[in-house]
Amino acid sequence: DIQMTQSPSSLSASVGDGVTITCRASHNVNNYLNWYQQKPGKAPKLLIYGASSIQDGVPSRFSGSGSGTDFTLTISSLQPEDFATFYCQQTYSMPFTFGPGTKVDIK
Amino acid sequence: QVQVVQSGAEVKKPGASVKVSCKTSGYTFTSYFIHWVRQAPGQGLEWMGIINPNGGGTTYAQRLQGRITLTRYTSTRTIYMELSSLTSDDTAVYYCATAGTSGSYLDYWGQGTLVTVSS
């Protein structure tokens, strides 16, 4: 199985801050890497697919980059509604494993 | 528009089975694979398996092999996830999600179904 790691596991930031979350795969996943946002009590929401393609309706302050084993999710200017937990997922090889998550909360 | 609606919460005893439904609408049912993902209380996301509504082919996570069964009924546009031999470790919210036009991302998610396993 491909193992996914994320860093940091949590971070505190203020509205307007820029934030970068890193995801690393134990094996090459090409660009089969997705990012999801989850708020408490809600289903995950797709933000980025194919490492860098933004899902319809997602604000442009979210962006993704990377290929192979190292990926990043960047939020250019945090908004109040962005505080949540973010997960990466590889869909290169089954099982389609998720990272452990990064919780972003308000400083 | 695409909608994914799951069945309601369940409480089961250890050793029992549970069957969760996932009803879809708003797109051609056989076009998109369906994934199942679960989340234990306070924990992360665990991918469980995938079904191709066009033919019913399935792939399951190895750790659930032998206990999980995904089935589909095209007439009702509904996917079912059955998990047997339940233990307290199976207490979680279970989600189904459509697999996107390329099949490589989970774009439309159900609201989740809480399954509680308790004696």
Side-chain angles (χ1 to χ4, degrees):
Chain A
D1 296 1
I2 296 176
Q3 309 302 317
M4 307 299 292
T5 58
Q6 288 182 233
S7 61
S9 57
S10 66
L11 67 90
S12 296
S14 301
V15 172
D17 286 350
V19 166
T20 297
I21 299 169
T22 297
C23 175
R24 177 164 288 173
S26 62
H27 296 82
N28 177 27
V29 299
N30 284 336
N31 66 338
Y32 288 91
L33 192 286
N34 309 313
W35 290 97
Y36 302 87
Q37 176 191 53
Q38 187 180 34
K39 297 181 180 179
K42 299 295 187 182
K45 173 187 173 184
L46 177 67
L47 298 176
I48 302 288
Y49 62 94
S52 61
S53 296
I54 193 165
Q55 173 69 344
D56 289 346
V58 173
S60 59
R61 62 182 179 271
F62 291 94
S63 63
S65 64
S67 185
T69 60
D70 294 307
F71 302 88
T72 59
L73 173 70
T74 299
I75 310 172
S76 59
S77 176
L78 269 173
Q79 298 302 301
E81 60 269 28
D82 298 339
F83 293 93
T85 299
F86 296 84
Y87 295 94
C88 61
Q89 181 203 26
Q90 65 83 19
T91 52
Y92 178 75
S93 167
M94 294 188 200
F96 291 157
T97 42
F98 290 88
T102 295
K103 185 176 182 180
V104 177
D105 61 21
I106 301 173
K107 184 184 289 183
Chain B
Q1 73 280 21
V2 176
Q3 290 193 316
V4 182
V5 179
Q6 299 180 223
S7 49
E10 302 263 12
V11 179
K12 296 293 182 180
K13 293 197 181 301
S17 297
V18 68
K19 195 168 187 177
V20 179
S21 69
C22 173
K23 186 171 177 61
T24 66
S25 61
Y27 68 97
T28 302
F29 179 67
T30 51
S31 292
Y32 302 151
F33 287 45
I34 296 287
H35 295 256
W36 286 83
V37 173
R38 70 179 179 178
Q39 186 171 38
Q43 302 301 307
L45 302 169
E46 178 187 7
W47 185 84
M48 302 176 67
I50 189 170
I51 184 168
N52 180 357
N54 186 12
T58 55
T59 301
Y60 304 127
Q62 183 70 25
R63 68 189 299 262
L64 296 173
Q65 198 86 28
R67 292 205 299 133
I68 184 174
T69 305
L70 300 182
T71 53
R72 97 283 187 226
Y73 289 87
T74 53
S75 60
T76 58
R77 305 176 54 95
T78 302
I79 305 288
Y80 293 90
M81 186 285 298
E82 185 169 22
L83 191 63
S84 62
S85 303
L86 293 169
T87 72
S88 57
D89 289 343
D90 295 314
T91 294
V93 176
Y94 290 75
Y95 295 102
C96 61
T98 62
T101 53
S102 72
S104 60
Y105 50 86
L106 283 61
D107 52 359
Y108 293 95
W109 293 66
Q111 80 277 21
T113 297
L114 175 62
V115 175
T116 303
V117 182
S118 174
S119 56

